[in-house]
Each structure stands twice: as structure tokens, then as C-alpha cells.
Amino acid sequence: MKKLEDIFGIEINNTDLFQKALTHPSYTKENDLVYTENYERLEFLGDAVLKLAVSEILYREFPDYNEGNLSKIRSIVVSDSILSDAAHKIGLCEHIILAKHEAKLGLANLESVCACAFEAVLGAYYLDGKLKLLIPELKKILMPYVKEVDLNFGKYNAKAILQEYTQSLTKTAPVYKLTNESGPAHNRTFEIEVFFDDKFLSKGTGKTKKEAEQQAAYEACKLLGVI
């Protein structure tokens, strides 16, 4: 708990909440504990806390942006890929509690697991009565991502941009095909190619299929002169 307090700079009162927030479902299953002792319920709450906090940050940071632009930036900032990256950088992932087998497989580094734990901790802080203290700390953690997304929005929203472009031409959407995947289960690399009207446009790689699709779409957009 002390390490968690150091990460967020906020004192913890109800340690049981944060114990649950860091506990993966595999651990409760392995130890025959009730499902409420893992992070899933707190993740559900934390997802709402995250969106509220990021909404306030964006509302104050970009006073001239309309709600559509704010929503688009928020949808990217609260994505698993960004949350996982942030969780790794602040050292949160190394404190996730897993079953022995899953821990050996390195599931604490899995994008979805890190993102879930991050959200669960936010839910725990909310129930611990620390929302007002949490928002400025979240701003410190997430502002580099907010600025990056704002400056390079096309890179993060390439799939939507490419689809809008192709549908304006022929009313058909681009097609993404998985061509290769490699690496261990907790650290897969995916390669995806994107086609339009049965013609190859480009390919992309990523740690998730979604990330690889975005990269492929981004390369296609640059090729087509859309971005």
C-alpha cells in the first residue's frame, strides 16, 4: 500500500479496497475466493471515474474545443493501450497479484490486465473518498498522452479517417486481414494488412490487433494523401 501511495501521491485509508483493485481474477480462482475479492467490480466503477476525470481535464485544458473534439480525444486517452502504457511507466503493473501460473506467464504485463488494474485503482480511490485529490494526480500522469493525441490525432484515429475516405468514394469500407502473429501469449505481435476494393494498401504491426489495424490504416492514409 505504501508503494501505491507513492505512485499516486495520495494516502490510502481502506486498504482492503486497494488489495482488491490489484488482484487478478486468476488469483481469486486459484485460492477459492469469492469473485468480489478481485478487481472486476472496481474496474467497472473505475472506468466511469476515469472518464469523468479525463472529461474534466479536457474541458479545462481545451476551452475552445467543441464536445465532438473532446469526445474523440477522450476515447483515445482512456483506451487500453494508453492506460497500459501509463500503468507501466508509473510502476503499477508490477504490483498486480496473480495466480502462480499466470504470474510465471507474465500476464502482469498484458495490456488488458494493466489497464484493468489501473481503472480498478481509480475506483478504489473514489470509494476511499479521494476523487478531488485523484484528478490532479491523473492529470500529471495523462497529460503527456493528451498532448500527443491532440497533436497527432490522425495517427490515433486513422481507421475512422480511412473508412470515411473510402466510403466517400465507393460507399465500401476497407478490409483488414491478419497476416502474422508471433511471440508468447503475454507479449504477442500482430501484423495486419489493409485492402480497399481488393487492392493492398499497406500493413501495420502492433501488440494488439487493434493497434496493428490503426498502424496499417495510418500508413494507408499517408499513402492516399488523406493525412
Side-chain angles (χ1 to χ4, degrees):
M1 293 302 106
K2 181 65 172 66
K3 290 179 180 178
L4 199 58
E5 286 179 338
D6 291 341
I7 288 173
F8 286 92
I10 304 173
E11 184 180 357
I12 290 171
N13 293 329
N14 189 337
T15 57
D16 287 344
L17 282 173
F18 294 87
Q19 184 79 13
K20 292 177 184 178
L22 292 172
T23 301
H24 187 264
S26 65
Y27 183 87
T28 52
K29 184 177 181 180
E30 179 185 63
N31 292 276
D32 199 27
L33 301 173
V34 294
Y35 80 96
T36 53
E37 293 301 306
N38 65 49
Y39 63 44
E40 290 182 329
R41 280 169 50 85
L42 282 169
E43 179 212 344
F44 164 77
L45 177 61
D47 176 68
V49 174
L50 175 68
K51 287 177 180 174
L52 172 63
V54 172
S55 295
E56 179 175 327
I57 292 167
L58 297 178
Y59 184 86
R60 297 183 185 280
E61 188 69 22
F62 303 112
D64 298 327
Y65 283 18
N66 63 36
E67 68 278 12
N69 288 333
L70 295 175
S71 294
K72 289 175 181 178
I73 295 174
R74 183 183 65 187
S75 69
I76 298 169
V77 174
V78 302
S79 65
D80 280 2
S81 60
I82 284 183
L83 293 184
S84 175
D85 189 73
H88 276 291
K89 285 183 177 177
I90 62 178
L92 179 65
C93 303
E94 61 193 64
H95 301 298
I96 298 173
I97 305 162
L98 298 111
K100 293 178 182 178
H101 178 67
E102 281 72 10
K104 287 180 180 178
L105 289 176
L107 258 66
N109 294 314
L110 202 63
E111 182 178 282
S112 59
V113 173
C114 289
C116 287
F118 190 104
E119 290 181 329
V121 168
L122 302 187
Y125 267 122
Y126 174 81
L127 292 178
D128 209 33
K130 305 294 172 57
L131 181 60
K132 287 186 178 180
L133 296 174
L134 182 62
I135 291 179
E137 293 303 320
L138 267 180
K139 184 175 182 180
K140 293 177 187 176
I141 295 169
L142 296 178
M143 271 310 295
Y145 300 99
V146 170
K147 291 179 179 178
E148 164 68 14
V149 171
D150 181 49
L151 289 173
N152 300 287
F153 184 73
K155 178 181 177 181
Y156 293 94
N157 201 42
K159 281 186 69 178
I161 294 172
L162 180 62
Q163 181 164 324
E164 183 178 334
Y165 174 74
T166 59
Q167 288 184 330
S168 71
L169 297 176
T170 63
K171 295 186 179 181
T172 57
V175 175
Y176 297 88
K177 295 181 180 179
L178 177 66
T179 55
N180 188 44
E181 57 180 291
S182 58
H186 68 280
N187 190 26
R188 303 294 283 171
T189 296
F190 300 90
E191 182 177 288
I192 285 179
E193 295 181 349
V194 59
F195 297 80
F196 174 56
D197 276 351
D198 295 323
K199 293 180 181 178
F200 170 78
L201 292 178
S202 62
K203 66 180 179 180
T205 59
K207 292 301 182 182
T208 65
K209 291 179 183 178
K210 184 177 180 181
E211 183 180 321
E213 287 175 353
Q214 283 285 8
Q215 182 62 32
Y218 181 58
E219 296 300 327
C221 285
K222 289 195 295 182
L223 178 70
L224 296 169
V226 181
I227 294 178

